Every structure is written in structure tokens, then in C-alpha cells.
Amino acid sequence: MMEIIRIPRIMQETSRHYITKSKKLGFVPTMGALHEGHLSLVRRAKDENDLVVVSIFLNPKQFGANEDLSYYPKPIESDIEKLQSINTDILFLPETSFIYPTNFCTYITVQNLSDKLCGPFRPGHFTGVTTVVCKLLNMVMPSRLYLGQKDYQQLLIIKRMVEDLNIPVEIIPCRTIREKDGLAMSSRNSYLKSKERLSATVIYKTLSYLSNLIVEKKIPCHEVKGKMKEMLLNEPLIEEIQYASIYDPETLDELDNYKKVNLLAVALKIGNTRLIDNMIVEINSVVV
Ligand code: PAF
């Protein structure tokens, strides 16, 4: 039977109870609207720990004024059913006022990494993410934190925060789960109208085509960057490409020449829907 906890103090007491019994807690933080990507994290956390805690909290502090907070999907009943069906032990489901009481005024910002890629397009977003994740970690006190690589920048920033603030948790990066046609699973995919949904497949096609090109044909970095923009711009329903290029996977700086490990990353808008995706490409020899 899945336990549902709504109060941070009860969550802490429950976690403390298990920790004193030497139980390992695996933690999957979410904003709800759960899909197979989330569920794969929960299954893995369940396999690798004594108990799995999932949080559902639609964090207002990580949404900009013109973003989708008010219409972000909130299918709480079906989320609970999904979590029960995969034997989640604890669902932490706090109200906003418990996370951000009226006198709340402490924020955590990971400098530098938060200013790259999505940073300029979503001011304040990563401060909202790191603040809430730090709070959730203090409430759940897990041994392991499971995060998807689809939000690669978020993963990197949370890793930095955990290291910089000596938070005692192991971060487990988990591979991106995709639809059959390659589209990375995201709660925001439900915003796409049917023609937009079809055109969104160009993102995976582009990333996988170029990853293979880099590994097999060793095409120079600048040519791949040009090709990436060209392939995406050829899709008429793409309205805005926010970024699409090759980056250093540790610093997120754009690369002029390949490194051994490279990050291909894209953020774009189809209609009003903002989509992101990425792929890590390892090459044996560096091509200049
Ligand atoms: O990736 C998400 O769903 C959110 O950014 C997270 C990590 C749950 C924090 O609100």
C-alpha cells in the first residue's frame, strides 16, 4: 500500500525512521503528469534501494511569468494510480504553502551553469529548480536521487549544487526514454496538436543522424552545427530555434572543435510548445 505524505515534517520523520533502520531511500522528484520516463526512474529506484519515495510538486518558482504554470497538466488521480501500480512506497505530495510559506526568502543559485543554454530563455528557472530540489532533499533525505538525462542542464546543475553544498546524496543519471518515433518523453508533449507532434520527430532524427555522422564520418564540428540548424529549419512548424549546437558536456560552453565527449543539445518552439532534447556523442579520436 502506497503511503501518501503531505506535510514536510512528517516526511522528515518518516525518512528518519527508515534511516535509523539502515534502509536506503531512492528518491524521484517530479512535477506530476507522469509518463513512462518518470515511471522508469521509479522502477530503477525501487530496484536499487529498500524504499522509493516519489514527490509530486508543481513548483511555481521554476516557471516564468509567461510560461505554462496555469495550464501544466495535473492528472493527480491517474498519477497516483500509476505510482501504485509500480509499487511506489511513499508519495510525497505537499501543498505549495508548505513548501513556500509566506515568509519564505531563501534561494539557491548555481552560478555560471545556470546562465548557459536554457538560462537566458528562462530567467530564474534554474534558481527555482535548485531551491526546490535542495528543500526536497532536506525533507526526504534519500541515499540516491534519480534524474533523467533529457534535462541534461538541470542534471548538471543539481550535481554541482550537491557537490558545492555537501549534500549527502548520490545522483543517478538515467537515460532518456523516447516514444517509438524517437521523441523524448515529456509532460509537455501533450500540448502538441497532431501535425505539431509529427513535426517534433525532426528533433530526434536530427540528433541521431548527426551523432552517427560525427562518429562514423568525422565531419568537422562547424559543418555539423550548420547541418543541425539546416535540418531543423527545414521543418516548417518550427517557429523558433533557441539553441542548437555542440557543447562541452561539463561546462556547457559551445565547442568549435570536438572533445572526446560532446553534447548535442537543442531547444526550440513548435507552436507555443517549447521542447528540449540532447544526445551525448563520444568519439575516439578528436577531429579538428
Ligand atoms: O524535472 C522536473 O520535473 C523538475 O524540474 C523537478 C526536478 C521535479 C524540480 O521541480
Side-chain angles (χ1 to χ4, degrees):
M1 209 25 206
M2 183 172 79
E3 186 178 357
I4 301 184
I5 299 179
R6 295 170 191 273
I7 316 253
R9 186 182 47 78
I10 310 271
M11 186 65 246
Q12 280 172 327
E13 280 169 12
T14 307
S15 288
R16 228 174 258 129
H17 164 82
Y18 287 114
I19 292 164
T20 53
K21 291 185 175 252
S22 302
K23 301 283 186 209
K24 296 249 178 264
L25 300 186
F27 178 41
V28 182
T30 81
M31 298 202 298
L34 303 178
H35 50 67
E36 191 46 43
H38 297 112
L39 301 186
S40 73
L41 302 183
V42 180
R43 284 193 203 97
R44 181 158 173 200
K46 178 94 189 158
D47 278 355
E48 296 177 355
N49 299 277
D50 297 307
L51 283 106
V52 58
V53 180
V54 177
S55 64
I56 296 183
F57 178 63
L58 188 52
N59 176 32
K61 301 230 183 254
Q62 69 186 77
F63 287 80
N66 300 320
E67 292 187 345
D68 53 343
L69 176 63
S70 59
Y71 53 94
Y72 198 88
K74 300 171 195 67
I76 188 64
E77 294 307 325
S78 78
D79 282 352
I80 290 176
E81 273 169 32
K82 285 177 188 168
L83 292 174
Q84 270 166 339
S85 76
I86 55 169
N87 300 321
T88 304
D89 298 289
I90 299 174
L91 167 61
F92 182 40
L93 188 60
E95 301 250 327
T96 309
S97 62
F98 283 122
I99 299 292
Y100 301 118
T102 44
N103 54 353
F104 181 85
C105 54
T106 304
Y107 292 87
I108 291 176
T109 297
V110 173
Q111 292 178 345
N112 199 3
L113 285 175
S114 300
D115 302 332
K116 316 266 177 75
L117 303 184
C118 293
F121 300 97
R122 305 193 69 189
H125 167 69
F126 288 114
T127 293
V129 170
T130 40
T131 301
V132 83
V133 171
C134 184
K135 282 174 69 72
L136 291 168
L137 289 173
N138 285 335
M139 293 168 192
V140 177
M141 298 182 281
S143 302
R144 299 193 183 94
L145 169 65
Y146 292 79
L147 294 169
Q149 277 173 341
K150 190 213 153 222
D151 297 298
Y152 183 87
Q153 186 175 13
Q154 166 173 286
L155 170 67
L156 203 64
I157 288 172
I158 294 174
K159 268 189 188 163
R160 183 80 264 145
M161 171 183 78
V162 160
E163 222 174 294
D164 287 355
L165 299 183
N166 303 84
I167 302 177
V169 68
E170 184 188 354
I171 296 184
I172 312 290
C174 302
R175 72 180 180 88
T176 302
I177 304 296
R178 298 179 179 281
E179 303 287 355
K180 282 205 180 71
D181 60 11
L183 181 66
M185 288 199 185
S186 162
S187 308
R188 291 188 167 100
N189 291 351
S190 65
Y191 299 154
L192 295 166
K193 303 194 183 86
S194 61
K195 279 191 182 146
E196 295 175 337
R197 172 65 188 78
L198 267 180
S199 76
T201 57
V202 74
I203 303 170
Y204 176 73
K205 281 185 201 137
T206 303
L207 290 175
S208 47
Y209 174 76
L210 294 176
S211 299
N212 288 331
L213 213 60
I214 294 171
V215 174
E216 282 162 21
K217 300 254 168 68
K218 309 258 161 63
I219 301 239
C221 193
H222 70 272
E223 279 184 34
V224 171
K225 290 201 259 182
K227 188 93 194 132
M228 192 184 308
K229 297 209 173 80
E230 189 189 306
M231 286 177 77
L232 295 170
L233 283 170
N234 262 341
E235 175 48 61
L237 292 186
I238 292 182
E239 296 197 356
E240 180 193 350
I241 298 178
Q242 296 189 336
Y243 59 81
S245 194
I246 306 179
Y247 304 90
D248 182 319
E250 281 156 28
T251 64
L252 301 181
D253 288 329
E254 190 170 357
L255 291 176
D256 291 326
N257 297 301
Y258 298 121
K259 292 186 64 180
K260 193 170 180 316
V261 185
N262 307 275
L263 171 71
L264 269 58
V266 175
L268 50 77
K269 277 181 126 176
I270 296 184
N272 285 328
T273 307
R274 185 174 187 276
L275 300 172
I276 58 170
D277 201 353
N278 67 78
M279 229 168 245
I280 293 281
V281 184
E282 288 190 37
I283 37 181
N284 298 327
S285 55
V286 178
V287 181
V288 184

